[in-house]
Amino acid sequence: PIMDGLEAAKIILSQEGQVPIIVALTANASDEVEQSYLEVGMKKVIAKPVNKGAFEEAIKLVQKNVA
């Protein structure tokens, strides 16, 4: 890969205009990694394997911020 998700999120979120809500999906869900994702502006971190509750919570977050 040319870049990882953290680097891609930094670039996307640095753009002017309307920026998307980014939800991270990762197998590496340590507290340190989760904090680094949130610090760059991702709104939510979901750890693999994904459970239904975490996925539903992320969808509600996006819906709340889009409405």
Side-chain angles (χ1 to χ4, degrees):
I2 296 172
M3 67 181 76
D4 62 18
L6 190 60
E7 187 178 348
K10 287 178 187 177
I11 292 169
I12 292 167
L13 294 170
S14 71
Q15 304 298 309
E16 292 185 29
Q18 187 176 5
V19 293
I21 297 167
I22 299 177
V23 176
L25 177 61
T26 182
N28 185 2
S30 69
D31 290 340
E32 183 179 292
V33 170
E34 182 174 346
Q35 186 61 37
S36 67
Y37 290 154
L38 297 173
E39 285 175 0
V40 300
M42 294 185 191
K43 299 298 182 194
K44 178 89 178 138
V45 179
I46 300 175
K48 292 178 188 177
V50 177
N51 71 51
K52 182 180 177 182
F55 188 70
E56 288 173 342
E57 186 179 317
I59 291 171
K60 287 177 184 176
L61 174 74
V62 171
Q63 288 175 330
K64 183 176 86 174
N65 285 284
V66 172

